[in-house]
Amino acid sequence: MLQSYVKIAWRNLVRNRAFSAINIVGLALGLATCLLIMLFVLDELSYDRYNDKADRMVRVVFHAVMNGGEINEANVMPPVAQTLKADYPEVEDATRIHTVGSPGITVGDKSFRDDQLAYVDSNFLQVFTLPLIQGDAKTALIQPNTAVITQEMARKYFGNENPLGKFVTIKSWNALFKVTGVMNKMPVNSHFHFDMFMSMAGVSDAKSPTWMTSGFFTYLVLNKGYNPKQLEAKLPQMVSKYMGPQIQKVFGLNMTQFRQKGNDIAFLLQPLTDIHLHSNLTGEMDANGDVQYVYIFGAIAVFMLLIACINFMNLSTAGASKRAKEVGIRKVLGSVRQSLANQFLIESLLLTMIALVLAIGIVYLALPLFNDLAGKTLTLNFGESVWLLPSLLLLGVLVSILAGSYPAFFLSSFKPIVVLKGTKFTGDKKSIGLRSGLVVVQFSISIILMIGTTVVYRQLSYIQNKRLGYSKEQVLVLPDTWQLAKKEEVFRNQIMQDPRVVRVSMSGYLPAGPSYNNNYMMYSESNPDQFVKGLRYDVDYEYIPTLGMEMAAGRNFAKEYGTDSSGVILNETAVRTFGWHGNAVGKSIGHTENDGLKRTYRVIGVVKDFHFRSLHESISPLVMILGRNNGTMIVKAKTKDVSGLLASLENQWKQLATDAPFTYSFLDKRFNDTYLAEQKTGRILGLFAGLTIFVACLGLFGLATFTAEQRTKEIGVRKVLGASVASIVGLLSKDFLKLVLIAILLAVPVAWYVMDKWLQSFAYKIDMAWWVFALAGVLAVGIALLTVSFQSVKAALMNPVQSLRSE
């Protein structure tokens, strides 16, 4: 029975090959899109699940409310881990990471810089279940100055030699580390990636009792089945017990008084598996994903499959007249409705399986492009992922049922006495209305995606062209100049002699890309109870002019003023937060150091607000203090010969530091890298929007072809009676254009709502102009008109003698 069903199904697919081809291509593109997005979403959801303790691990994060804003940090104070483990029995284990970046490593006479290093506690490898290829994970990091490196790092440093027992040097720290273990590369789906883990033992900051400075990423393993919210509810007691006395010492207020001033401090517990998609805290080790994009791409996959299924249903029901006589004869010969429905479902399944095979081929070809767009390393490997093929087959069966069920029951419901009379079958009003509704759904989805893509690109353009308050063009950033030691100032002076250089500043505080996060609590000397939380930048005399910042009041730091060591420059937001609506110059602010020592600074200038964080965040209060922050040089160039300037800088560098690698970056690239996630989303959204429109047009093309065939005799009569080609094209097109206009009316409010929600994540955003919606509508009408007109013009140009004879 099944074999005969398949034979008949194959014969019918071949007989109606034009419609079959349209359906196969549409379904293949829909399934390919769904498969790509499935791989993307599963990769996003897999972050940190390589850890066999992942489901009961949390990260401790810091939240505080102060005058001037909130603090939300991914790292906490040094004693938090040990305190939680000692005081709360529900904490099975605790471990920490203390990041140090890429300080530069020397092995023998070779220097390396492009590796990420971090200090970790001795139990870190066991908590995160990172097995070693060489060495013992339980003991590798117990002793001070020991390190575990990745296998890739071992090959780079030591070649084919056994790395265990060998040493690497970090010159800037004057420290020697013994290699005690080798591990595989960190899993790609981890929220942090390091090449070398160094023992925290012997690090003085790690043993600090202070609760007033942070910098330690802290993870807890909770007892099985324990609810993290229960522990989180107990943490205010820890704040009062341990932070309270230190707040009293620093600010002169007990916790009750501190909170009465509108301040609050809390520790929160963040599930490990939520970090990648649900966390965007200050100081994250890697750029995280965004669950919004998972939802968006998941919706696109559903939409694409839905549009492909709609095409199948539309073309199947529209072509009912070609199958009506077949159904009538088979019913007369004894076929029951269920048997006929099964036949049509088998045809749907066969067509879907062909489309699925084609979709897998498309994905194999498209994966490199998609990985490039999404910044992923996705693979389609049926051997490694045993669930993948069964999932695809199940998806194919579900799609075939979704796409084929209505046509199957619709076609099998024909009454033989009606269809065998010879009366031309055109379908009832119900089926025509359904087809029209499905076309509206298709184009509504397409228009929503067109509007969404346009809004995303406009927002990205706005970000890239917004006045930032500083100049990012032709600014070179030279990191790790500390490697020059006493020759650092010599290098700076040499750079300044180059006529292609305008200015040089020495400061690691950069307004774009990763930078230091130096939270700073300050208060007005005239109102000591008013605390303002901001950021502190240590800058030199050249910082503000090098970056093209403008002064709103007062002056910049200047060498001729010996008192500037006790002076500060505030940004406009800090001035407003203090409530100084007039001139802030001359006023004083205070700051209490961790040791309880109070310092007073006089405001000598106000710099105009500039964006030193992502445009997702509002500008926060900022204080600039004159200080020597060696380690990074900011070079403002004035030449088109940037490559020549870089060659010259590298040559001078090598003369001063023969064993230290010369590296650089551009400030504008650092800025653009901040919005890589949005850029990737825009590109992917544009790609899928184009595919969605194409698949929708495939269905529209098929319906236009069918309509033209159904009205062949009518067209011939009209031409004989003198109708023009244009009038006939208009006649055939207007019904479809009406449906597209309805789709526009439905899509515009939905698109506005969705994109308005997306824009809320930006503190600085575009207004959604009316012309964006109008443009999408015009494009939809134009695309639909072009699609339909091809068949309409073809039908209108047909010789009326042939069209009338064909009937």
Side-chain angles (χ1 to χ4, degrees):
M1 179 67 76
L2 180 60
Q3 187 176 4
S4 63
Y5 277 150
V6 173
K7 284 183 179 179
I8 296 170
W10 178 255
R11 193 162 55 242
N12 285 324
L13 291 182
V14 173
R15 184 191 307 158
N16 301 300
R17 53 184 172 271
F19 282 3
S20 297
I22 291 174
N23 280 329
I24 287 172
V25 172
L27 283 173
L29 289 174
L31 288 166
T33 300
C34 192
L35 178 53
L36 280 173
I37 291 177
M38 184 193 302
L39 294 173
F40 174 85
V41 170
L42 289 173
D43 180 75
E44 290 289 287
L45 294 176
S46 71
Y47 268 72
D48 294 305
R49 294 189 183 276
Y50 65 88
N51 186 345
D52 59 16
K53 301 185 185 75
D55 291 334
R56 53 194 184 102
M57 281 186 66
V58 293
R59 180 173 70 175
V60 186
V61 299
F62 181 70
H63 171 76
V65 178
M66 303 284 185
N67 291 324
E70 292 187 0
I71 306 173
N72 291 289
E73 292 183 340
N75 49 61
V76 295
M77 300 77 188
V80 170
Q82 190 57 40
T83 301
L84 284 168
K85 188 176 180 181
D87 291 7
Y88 298 92
E90 52 265 55
V91 177
E92 181 181 299
D93 211 345
T95 195
R96 299 173 298 170
I97 301 175
H98 182 56
T99 60
V100 295
S102 304
I105 288 177
T106 301
V107 179
D109 58 354
K110 296 180 180 179
S111 295
F112 308 89
R113 184 197 166 271
D114 57 340
D115 298 304
Q116 294 293 316
L117 282 60
Y119 281 114
V120 295
D121 284 321
S122 60
N123 62 344
F124 176 80
L125 299 174
Q126 296 165 269
V127 170
F128 275 89
T129 58
L130 295 169
L132 298 186
I133 300 170
Q134 293 179 267
D136 185 350
K138 294 180 180 179
T139 59
L141 295 172
I142 290 178
Q143 297 299 319
N145 290 81
T146 53
V148 170
I149 62 178
T150 63
Q151 190 174 36
E152 183 181 356
M153 195 177 185
R155 289 196 195 101
K156 182 168 66 173
Y157 292 171
F158 306 108
N160 295 324
E161 297 179 28
N162 183 358
L164 291 186
K166 290 189 165 52
F167 291 88
V168 297
T169 304
I170 300 179
K171 279 191 174 181
S172 58
W173 304 347
N174 193 28
L176 200 65
F177 289 85
K178 180 181 179 181
V179 178
T180 53
V182 178
M183 58 177 283
N184 278 318
K185 188 177 181 180
M186 278 294 300
V188 175
N189 58 341
S190 173
H191 75 279
F192 57 81
H193 295 88
F194 296 100
D195 302 293
M196 179 166 135
F197 294 112
M198 302 171 294
S199 172
M200 195 94 75
V203 178
S204 57
D205 287 349
K207 300 174 183 178
S208 171
T210 180
W211 288 73
M212 303 305 293
T213 59
S214 54
F216 290 80
F217 296 88
T218 299
Y219 302 85
L220 309 178
V221 180
L222 303 181
N223 293 334
K224 290 182 180 179
Y226 186 80
N227 186 352
K229 290 296 180 185
Q230 292 179 266
L231 175 59
E232 190 175 271
K234 300 177 183 178
L235 297 186
Q237 304 167 16
M238 183 178 73
V239 172
S240 298
K241 181 178 179 180
Y242 294 101
M243 292 194 73
Q246 295 191 20
I247 288 174
Q248 175 84 43
K249 181 179 179 181
V250 173
F251 299 121
L253 300 171
N254 61 39
M255 285 302 299
T256 301
Q257 294 170 326
F258 185 76
R259 289 182 173 124
Q260 286 174 346
K261 299 293 182 182
N263 309 307
D264 195 18
I265 289 175
F267 293 99
L268 306 177
L269 301 181
Q270 189 176 55
L272 181 69
T273 52
D274 282 359
I275 293 174
H276 179 67
L277 288 178
H278 299 275
S279 181
N280 189 27
L281 304 176
T282 300
E284 294 281 4
M285 287 180 277
D286 277 0
N288 285 330
D290 190 332
V291 72
Q292 284 189 42
Y293 299 137
V294 172
Y295 296 148
I296 289 171
F297 294 143
I300 288 173
V302 172
F303 289 158
M304 276 290 289
L305 276 181
L306 183 60
I307 287 175
C309 292
I310 286 172
N311 282 351
F312 186 93
M313 287 187 276
N314 269 341
L315 294 179
S316 297
T317 54
S321 62
K322 294 183 177 181
R323 307 292 299 273
K325 192 166 289 187
E326 173 196 343
V327 171
I329 292 171
R330 291 180 65 179
K331 279 195 170 184
V332 169
L333 294 175
S335 293
V336 296
R337 183 176 180 181
Q338 184 61 51
S339 175
L340 291 170
N342 290 341
Q343 174 63 56
F344 294 126
L345 284 172
I346 290 294
E347 289 181 21
S348 172
L349 180 61
L350 178 61
L351 187 145
T352 305
M353 289 301 125
I354 294 172
L356 182 59
V357 172
L358 182 58
I360 292 172
I362 291 172
V363 170
Y364 268 116
L365 295 174
L367 259 181
L369 172 63
F370 185 79
N371 282 333
D372 185 54
L373 288 175
K376 294 284 186 180
T377 54
L378 306 178
T379 59
L380 186 62
N381 192 320
F382 294 105
E384 291 183 2
S385 304
V386 293
W387 56 267
L388 190 55
L389 187 57
S391 299
L392 287 178
L393 292 174
L394 179 61
L395 178 64
V397 171
L398 292 175
V399 168
S400 67
I401 293 172
L402 176 64
S405 56
Y406 178 76
F409 291 110
F410 173 74
L411 293 171
S412 64
S413 67
F414 293 164
K415 296 178 180 179
I417 193 170
V418 175
V419 297
L420 293 178
K421 278 183 177 180
T423 306
K424 186 176 180 65
F425 184 87
T426 57
D428 58 20
K429 291 182 179 179
K430 187 176 179 181
S431 63
I432 294 172
L434 177 65
R435 289 201 298 273
S436 299
L438 293 175
V439 169
V440 169
V441 171
Q442 281 184 312
F443 271 85
S444 294
I445 293 171
S446 301
I447 293 164
I448 290 170
L449 288 176
M450 280 195 285
I451 293 171
T453 302
T454 306
V455 171
V456 169
Y457 275 105
R458 285 193 68 227
Q459 176 65 15
L460 289 175
S461 176
Y462 170 78
I463 287 171
Q464 290 168 341
N465 296 292
K466 188 182 187 305
R467 182 174 174 79
L468 300 171
Y470 66 91
S471 172
K472 65 180 187 295
E473 284 72 31
Q474 288 198 300
V475 177
L476 286 168
V477 178
L478 309 180
D480 300 328
T481 54
W482 52 262
Q483 295 179 94
L484 298 173
K486 296 179 180 179
K487 299 177 183 177
E488 189 176 27
E489 189 64 35
V490 175
F491 182 56
R492 181 184 183 279
N493 292 333
Q494 287 179 355
I495 294 175
M496 284 301 303
Q497 301 303 313
D498 194 311
R500 295 167 292 189
V501 173
V502 182
R503 291 181 182 274
V504 180
S505 173
M506 295 175 65
S507 177
Y509 294 94
L510 300 167
S515 187
Y516 298 111
N517 178 49
N518 195 0
N519 285 313
Y520 197 71
M521 290 296 299
M522 47 190 166
Y523 55 86
S524 167
E525 279 290 310
S526 60
N527 184 13
D529 290 342
Q530 184 189 18
F531 297 100
V532 172
K533 171 262 171 184
L535 290 182
R536 166 177 166 168
Y537 273 21
D538 289 288
V539 302
D540 63 4
Y541 300 104
E542 298 297 321
Y543 185 84
I544 289 176
T546 298
L547 289 172
M549 297 170 182
E550 298 180 15
M551 299 298 296
R555 61 175 177 81
N556 184 25
F557 296 113
K559 293 180 180 178
E560 54 267 28
Y561 293 93
T563 57
D564 277 3
S565 59
S566 60
V568 293
I569 296 173
L570 303 179
N571 68 351
E572 293 172 306
T573 297
V575 173
R576 287 193 297 271
T577 305
F578 274 119
W580 297 332
H581 303 293
N583 190 358
V585 176
K587 291 185 167 56
S588 297
I589 65 169
H591 171 71
T592 303
E593 305 293 344
N594 292 336
D595 58 5
L597 179 65
K598 296 184 178 180
R599 294 199 61 184
T600 301
Y601 297 92
R602 185 172 57 86
V603 179
I604 65 169
V606 178
V607 66
K608 288 186 177 181
D609 276 343
F610 63 94
H611 294 275
F612 46 85
R613 282 180 174 168
S614 162
L615 292 180
H616 285 280
E617 304 176 50
S618 299
I619 297 174
S620 58
L622 175 71
V623 55
M624 293 181 175
I625 294 177
L626 186 64
R628 188 169 181 82
N629 185 253
N630 294 1
T632 301
M633 286 190 188
I634 308 169
V635 181
K636 177 67 175 178
K638 61 173 181 179
T639 177
K640 293 182 179 179
D641 181 26
V642 176
S643 59
L645 175 59
L646 286 171
S648 175
L649 294 178
E650 184 173 11
N651 183 55
Q652 294 175 56
W653 174 278
K654 288 180 177 179
Q655 291 177 9
L656 297 172
T658 54
D659 60 345
F662 174 78
T663 56
Y664 66 89
S665 63
F666 292 96
L667 193 61
D668 55 356
K669 185 180 184 304
R670 290 170 65 93
F671 173 81
N672 290 333
D673 287 348
T674 305
Y675 305 98
L676 279 177
E678 285 80 7
Q679 292 168 14
K680 292 171 185 174
T681 302
R683 291 194 294 265
I684 295 172
L685 193 60
L687 171 66
F688 289 142
L691 285 173
T692 303
I693 294 166
F694 177 73
V695 174
C697 288
L698 276 178
L700 200 60
F701 180 82
L703 283 177
T705 303
F706 170 76
T707 302
E709 290 178 359
Q710 289 291 96
R711 303 179 73 171
T712 300
K713 186 174 182 179
E714 177 190 349
I715 293 168
V717 172
R718 287 178 179 274
K719 289 199 71 174
V720 168
L721 294 177
S724 65
V725 171
S727 66
I728 293 173
V729 171
L731 176 71
L732 295 174
S733 302
K734 67 179 182 181
D735 290 339
F736 292 110
L737 292 182
K738 286 178 186 177
L739 300 179
V740 175
L741 291 174
I742 294 171
I744 293 170
L745 293 176
L746 294 175
V748 165
V750 175
W752 181 89
Y753 176 80
V754 172
M755 296 317 298
D756 182 65
K757 286 290 185 183
W758 179 75
L759 287 172
Q760 295 306 316
S761 65
F762 291 88
Y764 305 90
K765 55 186 181 291
I766 60 170
D767 293 321
M768 283 191 288
W770 64 269
W771 62 263
V772 172
F773 302 95
L775 176 64
V778 170
L779 285 174
V781 170
I783 291 168
L785 191 60
L786 283 173
T787 304
V788 173
S789 294
F790 178 82
Q791 283 299 331
S792 300
V793 170
K794 182 180 176 182
L797 293 175
M798 183 182 294
N799 188 329
V801 175
Q802 292 180 348
S803 60
L804 292 173
R805 185 180 296 165
S806 69
E807 294 291 322

